[in-house]
Amino acid sequence: MSTSDPQDRTRVIATALLLAMTAAWGSTFFLIKDLVAHVPAADFLVVRFTIAAIAMCLVFHRQVRALPLAALRASVALGVVYGCAQILQTIGLEHTSASVSGFVTGAYVVLTPILGALLLRDRLPGAMWVAVALATIGLGVLSLRGFAVGLGEGLTLAAALLYAFHILGLGRWSTPAEATGMACVQAVVIAGLTLVAALPGGITLPATGGQWLSLLYMALVAGAFALWAQTWAQAHVDPTRAAIIMTTEPVFAAFFAVLFGGESLTSRMLVGGGLVLAAMYLSELRGRTAPPTERRSMEALHHEAP
């Protein structure tokens, strides 16, 4: 297929946006590690998403008002799913290690195609299942240093299931014209849910300028931009491919931890990161070589009315 094909160019842009979003997520790990030592995790979430929601609505309020009722309902549902996943993941992190939490959360790369096959009757070629397996093994190499199933792991697995539903929902309902408005509505719903979760214990705010600077970066770049980028990109990239691309988050996390967090580069990082990148390459290669009729049928599926 010619690289001048508009659909091909759009898919490349969508992939680049998903990678930028995932890099932003990965860059926050060493910042969060310091911030949550002073601000409780639930409080951090509500402040982060409230700032993101306010910023997005101030800039994109016209796009929100232009949303048709069906897209508004879908956005609310997606926001509830994502917000609940954030809360479950945060609570789960209090009962398990960060490495195990990262691996179990990454289970959405497996759950997304399984749910797509069961609920939406999606058919995946063998190469995509190989990419899913490579990404899962890579996540395990990057993250796992012992594993025991308990409350934390159970809550985190529930969060991964919700993330998979969110990825599938975006793939089915997001459109380029409505992506910005839908992202704003999701941010507002997520902020409301995290506020409900944080209120019982009171809300602790950052105490220093450095903490506020870190939180603003996570709210505006890893929050507002990332939510918009995922919503727009998934109007052009099928859910399983998006999930595989998003598993590069721990690769970026390791990269930034070595570059800025003072951690050492290890063989686990190299092997695990290599497997995840190989999975992403395989999924993208499949996207480039898929027959035109297959690409058109997938595009039609993602733009069906809800």
Side-chain angles (χ1 to χ4, degrees), residues 4 29 62 75 79 82 85 93 105 113 116 137-139 141 157 167 169 173-174 177 187 195 200 213 276-277 280:
S4 62
F29 275 73
R62 289 188 181 90
S75 303
Y82 192 91
L93 190 55
T105 301
I137 295 169
L139 283 170
V141 173
L157 183 60
I167 292 169
W173 294 326
S174 178
L195 177 62
L213 190 61
V276 170
L277 292 177
M280 192 190 76

Side-chain angles (χ1 to χ4, degrees), residues 228-293:
W228 169 81
Q230 184 183 4
T231 304
W232 186 90
Q234 283 207 241
H236 305 282
V237 177
D238 71 87
T240 298
R241 186 172 290 117
I244 292 171
I245 294 170
M246 288 160 62
T247 58
T248 56
E249 180 181 0
V251 179
F252 284 115
F255 171 77
F256 286 111
V258 170
L259 194 62
F260 299 113
E263 295 191 16
S264 300
L265 184 65
T266 66
S267 58
R268 294 175 67 97
M269 292 179 183
L270 292 173
V271 174
L275 287 169
V276 170
L277 292 177
M280 192 190 76
Y281 176 77
L282 184 60
S283 72
E284 285 302 294
L285 183 65
R286 172 63 193 177
R288 293 190 186 97
T289 58
T293 54

Side-chain angles (χ1 to χ4, degrees), residues 63-64 66-78 173-175 177-179 181-183 185-186 306:
Q63 287 86 341
V64 174
L67 283 177
L69 184 58
L72 182 62
R73 289 173 176 167
S75 303
V76 171
L78 290 168
W173 294 326
S174 178
T175 66
E178 297 167 355
M182 290 182 69
V185 173
Q186 288 177 78

Side-chain angles (χ1 to χ4, degrees), residues 108-198:
Y108 63 70
V109 73
V110 178
L111 294 170
T112 298
I114 291 175
L115 290 174
L118 291 175
L119 301 179
L120 303 179
R121 298 182 181 178
D122 291 345
R123 290 192 300 271
L124 290 181
M128 290 299 291
W129 286 110
V130 173
V132 167
L134 283 174
T136 304
I137 295 169
L139 283 170
V141 173
L142 276 169
S143 305
L144 288 184
R145 291 169 179 81
F147 185 83
V149 178
L151 175 62
E153 292 76 24
L155 291 172
T156 308
L157 183 60
L161 182 64
L162 291 178
Y163 284 133
F165 276 118
H166 184 256
I167 292 169
L168 285 173
L170 282 178
R172 190 169 183 84
W173 294 326
S174 178
T175 66
E178 297 167 355
T180 301
M182 290 182 69
C184 290
V185 173
Q186 288 177 78
V188 171
V189 173
I190 296 166
L193 282 175
T194 53
L195 177 62
V196 171

Side-chain angles (χ1 to χ4, degrees), residues 28-46:
T28 65
F29 275 73
F30 75 97
L31 297 174
I32 292 174
K33 183 178 179 181
D34 177 66
L35 189 60
V36 295
H38 306 281
V39 180
D43 300 354
F44 154 72
L45 284 176
V46 67

